[in-house]
Amino acid sequence: MRTILSMTLAATALVAQTSTVVAPQLAAALAPHTAAQFLLPFHGFSATQLAYAPVPRPALRSGASTFQIPDPLLCSANYVGTEVAQLVFALPQGAIVLLDTSSSLALHVLAVPAPTWTSLAGICIDGEHEQVVLLDAAGPNLLRIDIADLLAGQAQFQSTSLPPVWSTVRGIAFDVARERIVGFVPATGNLLQHSAVDPNTRAGLLRPVPEVLAFGFAPVGAGDRDLFVSSGDQRMLTAQWTWNPAGPDSLNATLRAIVQTGSWSPSSPDPSAITYDPLSDRVVVSDGEVDEMPIYAEVNLFETSRTGIVARTTTTLEYTPEPSGMTLDTATRTFYFSDDDRDKIYVVATGPDGLLHTADDLVRSFFVRNFCVDAEDVAFDNSTGELWIIGGDTVLAHKLQRGPNGIFDGTAPYGDDVLVSYDLAPFGATDPEGIAVHPTDGGIYVAGIPRTLLLHISTTGQLVRSITLPPTGLLKPAGITFAPSTVGTGVSLFLVDRGFDNNYDRRENDGLLLEYELPPYAPGNQPPVVHAGPDVTAVITAPTNLAGTVEDDGLPGGPLTIQWSLLSGPGQANFTAPTQPVTGVTFSALGIYTCELSASDGQYTTTDTVVITVLATPPPASLDRALAHMHDDAEEAPTGVVTRSSTDLELVVDGAVTQVVGLRFQNVLIPASASIQSAYIQFTVDEPGAIATQLTIAGQASDNPGAFTTATNNVSSRPRTTATVAWTPVPWTTVNQAGPDQRTPDLASIVQEIRNRPGWSSGNSMVFVITGTGCRTAGAYDSSPGVAARLIISYQ
């Protein structure tokens, strides 16, 4: 791998046009934007590995002569393999400088007589024709000079007139794969081409880059070259667009259409989610960031035609400001929105009018934080009734099936849904952002990072195929969906791209809606997917339940054979249903056992194991329950006014006001026969505080207390347990700390009193009331569910 800085310039003689000069050197290392254009050799070569210094214009010195390297748009490199063979730059005052490394290292300077050019806007090397090509935007025209003439000191140029649109181009590059000159229009992101065989002037679309600094092709290994763009904006120092043509054996999608969602009125600068509504034949797009920007016009949801014509706009802000994912159950006209900040899924039933966000909608939500952190997108399978959720941070695809209550409400402890999760990391995904179910082949498709990678997995989590998306314009892919194609028959993949993040530029407005045609898919048999379930601890005196799962695609058509067996252990195992995924099992002796679950479809056999530790008596069970709703923590002033929307909880003095604080924990799954071993509430620091504080904690003496309301004295008027616990918290010094110092003393006596009530049932709610003096400020649910109070109980 060779760069300009490693060419040992100081030790090599350079041959100029008229004489040999000695001791050349770079006056300064290459600036980032210069290095970005022609010194990027391979994938994975990070910006921090480039040798550069933040100087405005590096200079090349040869003896007493100094050549200032101009705007890097007037620099270009030609490669042999992955090494720089020639470096050329033009001085607008009237010179071309060529550094030739193809044999011996030589420097050639050609003086160019005026008025050869007027307004230089780009330069490149045409390696196929051994020419240096310059763009004079004043013509506009291309100026070509044979490298042989340049070396001989002969300023002989050939001029080719260009269409007027080329006057807006800044930066040209030679595309060796297609033998054409490509130009870039920074204001629009349009790519233009000049080709001897293709009269079309349009070459594609990147995206607007007003501060473009460098533009050119560079090698990426294996003989291929990709298009690189460098911007003065640090968000895109260098962007690679993977411009390589597809090989004959690769699976590649075809770009059909691009819609700039930023041109909608109102605009969608950061489209995050997308789904298709067949009833209205509209694509529905949500924007998870527009409400944070000055252009926000009370709209973050757009219903458009498949060609991008907006028909109707509404907003999700009444229930979620972060609609990161969206899908539709077409049979019931129920929309599902994922919120990756709150780790929740919002369920919106549209009501009799069938329209989203009207007065007859019914909205509810459920948590997914216990299995899916960073819920980026959701997809409903209308053929199976399953709900898929993609987790960006964990690189997992989660499949939810409704439990006995018949609705999606999450997994225990929040609900009774059945969950299966699949790891996508082995398939090359690092940050999946979008998921969709194909209406024809039934496959699950996932997009994200790498941005050109589209995964097709089976409903049992196996990789079926990988598809490469044309990267033209792609920057930050988000949601995906399938809808009827706008070109011919069949279905297309529709993808929304957020573009630049508004955290860096609140003025950005570069969202895109793209349509792709995917290569056809012919299904084949996949092995069964087997999970033996989590490892368990058992008691020798009672049967143990093994919760295995087996999934299969039904191919090649024969019966599916399932079998449990004992692999190892100190005794024998007796399975109650050895040919079913879920079975009971008893063991003859204490110790550690390994059991295997296998499934065979006649062609493939898959196995998985589970470890069971058999003890004489069980260890204590534990329960960790967080506040589940914004109305589950409340503050009551001395006047009786109840506040349920505060972003912090003052325990208990707020300024000069002494409050009563209430906390309600839902779905406390403790058996009626449980003996409470310990219990405490864990808080998270919202603000530091060291004032002397004395608190008293009591429970509500009720079987299943309801949520806090705004009724007068709704917290203080609740009946309290006989048992109380005093707490003198130490100073809280660090924001977001949640450790032993933010933990209450043992509340077992309070919890046991509530559990002992005749009307108590497992799954009821528990309320705790806090009074006292002084103040410690804790995070509230309305600030973030992640900092809300948690109830931790250990019981036998």
Side-chain angles (χ1 to χ4, degrees):
M1 187 187 314
R2 182 166 59 177
T3 69
I4 295 299
L5 298 183
S6 61
M7 290 180 185
T8 61
L9 293 178
T12 307
L14 299 182
V15 181
Q17 175 182 338
T18 57
S19 63
T20 300
V21 292
V22 185
Q25 62 180 347
L26 280 176
L30 290 174
H33 46 265
T34 308
Q37 180 184 2
F38 46 78
L39 298 181
L40 289 176
F42 295 107
H43 285 290
F45 198 77
S46 68
T48 57
Q49 292 175 291
L50 294 174
Y52 61 71
V55 294
R57 290 289 180 265
L60 182 66
R61 290 178 184 161
S62 294
S65 300
T66 298
F67 301 98
Q68 293 287 337
I69 297 179
D71 185 330
L73 285 176
L74 300 182
C75 300
S76 185
N78 187 33
Y79 298 85
V80 173
T82 59
E83 296 192 344
V84 175
Q86 295 159 320
L87 171 66
V88 67
F89 59 90
L91 305 178
Q93 298 82 358
I96 299 176
V97 180
L98 176 69
L99 183 65
D100 190 353
T101 71
S102 56
S103 54
S104 61
L105 193 61
L107 180 69
H108 305 270
V109 181
L110 175 68
V112 178
T116 302
W117 58 61
T118 301
S119 178
L120 285 183
I123 189 172
C124 66
I125 297 176
D126 179 345
E128 291 294 316
H129 300 93
E130 295 294 318
Q131 293 178 326
V132 172
V133 185
L134 302 101
L135 171 64
D136 186 355
N141 61 321
L142 289 179
L143 299 172
R144 291 179 176 267
I145 180 172
D146 292 337
I147 292 179
D149 287 340
L150 191 157
L151 299 181
Q154 301 174 359
Q156 302 184 80
F157 291 88
Q158 309 161 40
S159 179
T160 303
S161 297
L162 297 172
V165 68
W166 280 80
S167 64
T168 60
V169 165
R170 296 296 178 268
I172 62 173
F174 180 68
D175 181 2
V176 66
R178 298 168 178 81
E179 295 189 29
R180 61 179 178 172
I181 302 295
V182 177
F184 182 54
V185 183
T188 63
N190 288 327
L191 292 169
L192 305 181
Q193 71 172 4
H194 177 74
S195 168
V197 296
D198 187 352
N200 185 12
T201 60
R202 293 293 300 272
L205 175 70
L206 297 184
R207 59 176 67 243
V209 186
E211 298 180 69
V212 64
L213 294 175
F215 174 78
F217 286 89
V220 292
D224 293 328
R225 301 187 186 189
D226 282 356
L227 185 63
F228 288 83
V229 178
S230 177
S231 168
D233 192 322
Q234 290 300 309
R235 297 165 305 175
M236 195 179 74
L237 177 64
T238 302
Q240 179 181 343
W241 301 96
T242 317
W243 202 257
N244 296 319
D249 298 326
S250 56
L251 289 174
N252 292 271
T254 301
L255 180 63
R256 288 302 188 193
I258 299 178
V259 174
Q260 295 180 341
T261 62
S263 67
W264 290 346
S265 181
S267 297
S268 175
D270 285 290
S272 307
I274 183 171
T275 193
Y276 175 64
D277 184 353
L279 182 65
S280 60
D281 189 22
R282 292 175 184 170
V283 171
V284 186
V285 174
S286 67
D287 192 309
E289 303 291 334
V290 65
D291 63 296
E292 303 173 4
M293 303 173 67
I295 64 173
Y296 179 57
E298 306 300 323
V299 167
N300 74 344
L301 190 131
F302 308 80
E303 298 179 26
T304 84
S305 69
R306 286 176 282 122
T307 57
I309 306 301
V310 177
R312 182 173 178 263
T313 59
T314 54
T315 180
T316 68
L317 256 65
E318 290 188 4
Y319 53 93
T320 174
E322 187 73 14
S324 60
M326 175 174 46
T327 190
L328 171 63
D329 175 351
T330 58
T332 64
R333 297 210 47 81
T334 300
F335 285 82
Y336 295 87
F337 291 86
S338 61
D339 184 319
D340 60 349
D341 284 348
R342 297 175 177 174
D343 300 326
K344 298 177 76 172
I345 303 296
Y346 289 88
V347 185
V348 184
T350 58
D353 66 5
L355 294 175
L356 184 62
H357 298 150
T358 56
D360 62 354
D361 289 357
L362 296 177
V363 181
R364 63 179 181 88
S365 64
F366 62 90
F367 281 108
V368 295
R369 67 161 64 98
N370 56 329
F371 65 87
C372 183
V373 178
D374 190 28
E376 293 287 359
D377 199 8
V378 286
F380 184 79
D381 190 333
N382 282 282
S383 62
T384 65
E386 296 167 333
L387 185 68
W388 290 79
I389 307 171
I390 199 76
D393 287 350
T394 55
V395 199
L396 293 175
H398 309 279
K399 180 171 64 177
L400 275 185
Q401 297 169 322
R402 295 181 180 94
N405 66 12
I407 64 170
F408 288 113
D409 55 2
T411 60
Y414 303 111
D416 66 351
D417 293 344
V418 178
L419 171 70
V420 182
S421 300
Y422 305 104
D423 187 5
L424 303 179
F427 309 147
T430 57
D431 184 15
E433 297 279 337
I435 187 168
V437 181
H438 196 289
T440 303
D441 65 40
I444 311 303
Y445 288 76
V446 178
I449 301 296
R451 59 188 169 198
T452 60
L453 175 65
L454 179 70
L455 294 178
H456 175 184
I457 64 174
S458 70
T459 57
T460 56
Q462 297 162 305
L463 179 64
V464 176
R465 56 181 180 160
S466 297
I467 300 171
T468 300
L469 299 176
T472 306
L474 280 179
L475 188 59
K476 192 173 182 181
I480 59 175
T481 194
F482 288 96
S485 174
T486 62
V487 181
T489 60
V491 298
S492 291
L493 177 78
F494 289 78
L495 178 150
V496 287
D497 187 345
R498 290 179 54 188
F500 291 135
D501 196 310
N502 69 294
N503 288 337
Y504 299 97
D505 183 359
R506 299 189 69 206
R507 301 167 300 171
E508 61 87 5
N509 192 8
D510 59 351
L512 297 179
L513 167 62
L514 304 102
E515 178 187 356
Y516 299 95
E517 178 186 334
L518 302 187
Y521 167 63
N525 182 33
Q526 298 293 321
V529 176
V530 176
H531 294 284
D535 295 342
V536 296
T537 299
V539 181
I540 196 169
T541 57
T544 299
N545 187 60
L546 299 182
T549 60
V550 174
E551 297 180 87
D552 188 52
D553 56 15
L555 299 175
L560 188 66
T561 304
I562 301 172
Q563 185 64 53
W564 278 100
S565 60
L566 175 65
L567 291 185
S568 64
Q572 298 179 341
N574 180 29
F575 299 97
T576 59
T579 61
Q580 299 296 323
V582 177
T583 182
V585 61
T586 56
F587 299 94
S588 62
L590 303 180
I592 298 176
Y593 295 79
T594 300
C595 294
E596 180 184 80
L597 176 62
S598 69
S600 174
D601 64 4
Q603 181 180 2
Y604 298 113
T605 299
T606 309
T607 63
D608 191 30
T609 60
V610 60
V611 175
I612 305 99
T613 303
V614 181
L615 305 175
T617 58
S622 63
L623 175 79
D624 186 341
R625 185 66 74 251
L627 297 181
H629 193 274
M630 63 182 67
H631 296 164
D632 282 346
D633 50 11
E635 298 167 308
E636 181 188 308
T639 58
V641 174
V642 176
T643 300
R644 303 179 298 173
S645 58
S646 177
T647 58
D648 58 17
L649 295 176
E650 279 80 15
L651 308 173
V652 287
V653 176
D654 184 5
V657 176
T658 301
Q659 307 180 128
V660 178
V661 174
L663 303 169
R664 177 176 178 259
F665 298 93
Q666 301 182 44
N667 198 24
V668 181
L669 296 169
I670 300 177
S673 59
S675 173
I676 308 303
Q677 306 296 298
S678 66
Y680 62 88
I681 297 174
Q682 179 70 61
F683 293 98
T684 300
V685 177
D686 185 77
E687 298 176 8
I691 187 174
T693 301
Q694 299 283 339
L695 304 175
T696 299
I697 304 172
Q700 180 175 340
S702 301
D703 297 334
N704 189 23
F708 296 110
T709 71
T710 56
T712 303
N713 298 323
N714 185 255
V715 179
S716 63
S717 64
R718 298 185 177 220
R720 301 182 197 177
T721 57
T722 303
T724 61
V725 173
W727 182 21
T728 305
V730 300
W732 292 0
T733 59
T734 306
V735 174
N736 291 328
Q737 187 174 22
D741 289 347
Q742 292 76 41
R743 185 176 300 168
T744 69
D746 191 359
L747 307 179
S749 59
I750 299 174
V751 174
Q752 188 72 62
E753 181 179 334
I754 297 172
R755 204 287 303 156
N756 289 345
R757 294 179 59 85
W760 166 262
S761 295
S762 180
N764 284 3
S765 298
M766 282 189 181
V767 164
F768 295 85
V769 179
I770 303 176
T771 58
T773 61
C775 183
R776 294 292 181 267
T777 305
Y781 183 94
D782 287 88
S783 172
S784 168
V787 300
R790 307 183 71 89
L791 173 64
I792 293 88
I793 300 173
S794 176
Y795 62 90
Q796 190 76 47

